[in-house]
Amino acid sequence: MRKFNKIILSALIVAPVLFNGCTKLDENVYSELVTDNYYNNKNEVLSAVLRPYTHANAWSTPSGQDGYWRPAELSGDQLAWPTKGRHGEDGGKWKRLHHHSWLVDDGPLNNAWSLMYWGMGLCNDPIENIGKRSIIDMGITQQEKDAFVGELKLLRAYHYLKLMDLFGNIPIVTQVGIPAKPETKPRKEVFDFVESEILANINQAPKLSRNMIGRMSQAGAYAMLVELYLNAEVWTGTARWDDCIAAADKLINGEAGGQNGTMSLDPNITDQFKPTNDLSKEVIFSIAYEFRIANSQPSWTGEFYHFQQGSIYGGARNGNNGVVVVPGNYTKYNDADLRKSNWLLAGPQIRFDNGQPALAQGGNEYSDEQINFVDEIRRAKANSTVSNMSEGEENSGIRFNKYKLGNNIPGLVDGVAVAPDLNYNCTDWNLYRLTWVYFAKAEALMRKNNGLATAEAVQLINDCKSRAFSAVDWPANAYTTVTLTLDELLNERGREFIFEGFRRNDLIRFGKFTTSAWWDHVPSAPFRNLFPIPQIQRTLNENLSQNPGY
């Protein structure tokens, strides 16, 4: 069992009040007080340190809530949540994300702001409380105290990094409720704050190990630096490619630890995304789940799964039939690319338990017919050729199959009997993995070289991509310094990191987010590179300035 979850379970016994669910969205959450009388022993300290991670599930993953992931992915060119028959209209919020027509008073953007600042507050409270108490009163050592505070400050920096990515100019708050109405800070100042917090605390936190799975460590801190420096030119106006490369090398060289020995690329494309991905050697920072013992389970099923998805993979989790792949992205994968067949769900679907057709139910367009996911969004049942965000039906769109939950019932796979998976529903969600770091370093090398690929950049990408092809197919699909252009790097990033929360960020860095057209999306205005400061927050706090263009 993972050490992280052992700690959670022991903390739950002594601190149930701190582990209430993260579904209530209060306004002005950065001034909401958390108990100040709760650090009387090591278990209580641990429960306070771990509390922000349970909340991070709500905002950093596709959790079924309006956190970071939805605006980061559904505003890009790969994923969408179209209206499908009588489902998915949802007040038009998915269309506004897709068409870049979001409003200053859009509820989903306010919810994302609130969730993320709430999480930041859950870091500020224990930072303050642990910092001001004696180690004797808390029953911990000075080394443990320093490590806890360092870990929390790094996790707080992660909140600010992602808030800065979405909203740009934001308040910086390091104490609960002080100031009561913080003012907006320029993005460059926020960037400098995040960088300084990481550099000041990176050596205080433990290195990544099995004990730190699901927690912020030195490895997570270096990954944050990679992301900061990779986007520095966009976020501050000054490129930091050498710094990006240096931070990436810390991870590539294994200097920050690993969750299973020395960090390295996994030998295949499945180890990072299966129920035992806690055994992956390349995962850097994740949201960890342990359904078998702690009843903690992934939240992304509602976002991605069909109404009857359980019959397809042999599990108990279904979904809202929501997010699909934007038409055309499926064909960007070579048919020999194992990512296409392993990470994407296409075509007629069969039942896991008996290999028979998986039938749709519930009175939708294909009720009692075989579920069949297609690379188009239109009302085929009505013989319509119109394809846009309003014209989908139940089967529209290629689906998510990247992360696997496993199965909790016996079944048949290619005619072979399969027993229930003992790790069913325990799949961690990766926030950073080493493949992403390889791609970041390769991009930095190319940017330094006037956009041209170097031999090292090609090797980094090929080391990652080669895992997606058989030995026979690989030579024809390997990159060279001629074929790996910046545009092709963006395409390959799309193929490799689909569903992982980086697409908007990538499109902005490559100058494509507001200038490009895809499917039924037309170019938008440059100010849409940032989301607006939610109007409800500005009503509550007159010191918040609106982003330009809104």
Side-chain angles (χ1 to χ4, degrees):
M1 181 181 173
R2 301 166 192 159
K3 182 69 171 179
F4 175 64
N5 292 290
K6 285 184 180 178
I7 295 173
I8 285 183
L9 288 174
S10 64
L12 277 166
I13 295 171
V14 296
V17 69
L18 287 183
F19 280 82
N20 291 330
C22 295
T23 57
K24 183 173 180 288
L25 300 177
D26 295 330
E27 307 305 342
N28 252 3
V29 289
Y30 44 72
S31 65
E32 184 178 317
L33 295 176
V34 181
T35 178
D36 191 46
N37 186 29
Y38 199 76
Y39 297 82
N40 300 312
N41 56 60
K42 186 173 181 178
N43 273 344
E44 291 186 355
V45 173
L46 274 173
S47 70
V49 170
L50 297 176
R51 175 63 180 92
Y53 293 103
T54 67
H55 183 83
N57 168 60
W59 71 262
S60 64
T61 75
S63 67
Q65 299 191 60
D66 292 314
Y68 173 84
W69 188 90
R70 286 176 173 176
E73 281 286 7
L74 299 184
S75 61
D77 62 348
Q78 290 192 303
L79 304 178
W81 191 321
T83 301
K84 305 185 199 71
R86 60 194 174 114
H87 299 284
E89 182 64 22
D90 297 337
K93 64 181 181 179
W94 315 123
K95 295 176 185 177
R96 292 194 294 276
L97 279 175
H98 179 78
H99 293 303
H100 295 187
S101 58
W102 48 77
L103 309 172
V104 296
D105 58 353
D106 243 331
L109 294 177
N110 180 63
N111 292 345
W113 174 286
S114 298
L115 273 176
M116 296 167 77
Y117 266 107
W118 183 1
M120 179 273 299
L122 292 172
C123 295
N124 279 341
D125 183 75
I127 289 171
E128 180 179 353
N129 277 284
I130 295 172
K132 71 184 181 183
R133 284 170 166 76
S134 73
I135 57 175
I136 295 175
D137 290 342
M138 293 184 290
I140 59 177
T141 66
Q142 186 63 47
Q143 183 179 8
E144 288 173 327
K145 178 178 180 178
D146 293 343
F148 288 149
V149 171
E151 175 186 352
L152 285 165
K153 286 186 175 181
L154 292 173
L155 183 59
R156 180 176 66 186
Y158 182 72
H159 286 72
Y160 275 113
L161 188 155
K162 294 301 185 180
L163 278 160
M164 174 181 62
D165 178 21
L166 294 183
F167 299 103
N169 311 297
I170 59 173
I172 299 173
V173 184
T174 59
Q175 291 181 278
V176 177
I178 302 174
K181 294 185 176 182
E183 63 182 9
T184 305
K185 299 296 184 183
R187 198 183 215 179
K188 172 67 164 62
E189 187 172 335
V190 181
F191 181 102
D192 291 342
F193 169 75
V194 173
E195 181 185 24
S196 65
E197 285 285 280
I198 296 172
L199 294 176
N201 292 283
I202 194 167
N203 291 322
Q204 295 284 90
K207 290 187 176 182
L208 180 59
S209 66
R210 285 203 64 77
N211 288 351
M212 293 299 291
I213 289 177
R215 294 171 62 180
M216 181 59 73
S217 65
Q218 288 185 26
Y222 280 115
M224 281 194 289
L225 288 177
V226 173
E227 185 169 9
L228 268 183
Y229 299 141
L230 184 65
N231 294 285
E233 189 168 28
V234 172
W235 290 350
T236 71
T238 302
R240 302 280 294 273
W241 306 122
D242 285 327
D243 290 328
C244 179
I245 292 167
D249 281 341
K250 292 287 187 179
L251 295 162
I252 293 171
N253 297 334
E255 296 180 43
Q259 67 176 24
N260 291 289
T262 303
M263 188 178 296
S264 64
L265 292 178
D266 289 324
N268 55 61
I269 62 166
T270 59
D271 284 350
Q272 314 94 305
F273 306 111
K274 60 188 182 182
T276 54
N277 62 350
D278 61 303
L279 300 177
S280 164
K281 295 180 73 69
E282 77 164 68
V283 175
I284 296 171
F285 180 38
S286 63
I287 300 297
Y289 303 99
E290 187 60 83
F291 179 67
R292 296 168 299 176
I293 299 173
N295 200 32
S296 171
Q297 64 184 1
S299 303
W300 40 261
T301 53
E303 215 88 355
F304 298 120
Y305 278 6
H306 183 272
F307 305 124
Q308 282 82 51
Q309 191 87 6
S311 69
I312 298 171
Y313 73 93
R317 309 285 303 281
N318 294 310
N320 296 316
N321 199 37
V323 175
V324 305
V325 177
V326 168
N329 282 284
Y330 184 64
T331 57
K332 292 180 180 178
Y333 291 85
N334 186 297
D335 285 343
D337 192 330
L338 298 176
R339 295 171 299 187
K340 185 175 188 177
S341 54
N342 278 272
W343 293 354
L344 304 174
L345 202 59
Q349 301 300 305
I350 61 173
R351 293 182 61 91
F352 181 85
D353 57 356
N354 58 20
Q356 297 301 306
L359 302 182
Q361 303 169 17
N364 300 309
E365 295 93 339
Y366 292 89
S367 186
D368 298 322
E369 296 182 41
Q370 186 173 17
I371 299 168
N372 179 29
F373 299 131
V374 295
D375 188 23
E376 60 182 17
I377 297 173
R378 66 182 180 93
R379 297 188 178 182
K381 275 286 186 178
N383 295 316
S384 172
T385 59
V386 177
S387 179
N388 59 44
M389 283 288 287
S390 299
E391 296 295 321
E393 59 184 11
E394 182 179 7
N395 279 353
S396 291
I398 303 300
R399 305 304 173 92
F400 168 95
N401 198 36
K402 195 169 193 176
Y403 283 80
K404 308 293 198 296
L405 283 185
N407 57 290
N408 68 345
I409 61 171
L412 291 172
V413 176
D414 297 327
V416 178
V418 177
D421 189 337
L422 297 179
N423 296 288
Y424 168 72
N425 216 17
C426 294
T427 314
D428 299 341
W429 183 270
N430 306 325
L431 299 175
Y432 291 119
R433 59 186 179 100
L434 189 60
T435 299
W436 179 85
V437 174
Y438 271 54
F439 272 71
K441 181 180 178 180
E443 183 180 335
L445 289 168
M446 292 176 68
R447 301 281 187 185
K448 282 187 60 181
N449 196 39
N450 297 315
L452 301 176
T454 65
E456 184 179 8
V458 169
Q459 188 64 54
L460 287 164
I461 302 303
N462 281 342
D463 284 348
C464 301
K465 183 184 179 184
S466 61
R467 301 172 299 174
F469 292 86
S470 70
V472 173
D473 291 324
W474 170 240
N477 289 279
Y479 285 120
T480 68
T481 53
V482 174
T483 59
L484 186 61
T485 63
L486 278 177
D487 281 345
E488 179 55 26
L489 180 62
L490 178 62
N491 290 335
E492 184 61 21
R493 285 189 68 90
R495 288 185 286 265
E496 179 66 32
F497 302 113
I498 190 170
F499 305 114
E500 295 189 44
F502 294 106
R503 193 56 178 175
R504 168 187 167 273
N505 182 288
D506 288 346
L507 290 172
I508 291 173
R509 195 171 60 256
F510 281 78
K512 308 278 191 183
F513 186 65
T514 60
T515 62
S516 296
W518 52 83
W519 183 37
D520 72 334
H521 171 95
V522 298
S524 57
F527 73 86
R528 296 286 180 176
N529 280 321
L530 284 179
F531 290 104
I533 306 300
Q535 185 57 42
I536 191 170
Q537 299 297 332
R538 298 188 66 227
T539 300
L540 293 165
N541 176 8
E542 62 273 13
N543 292 326
L544 296 179
S545 301
Q546 187 54 276
N547 285 327
Y550 292 102

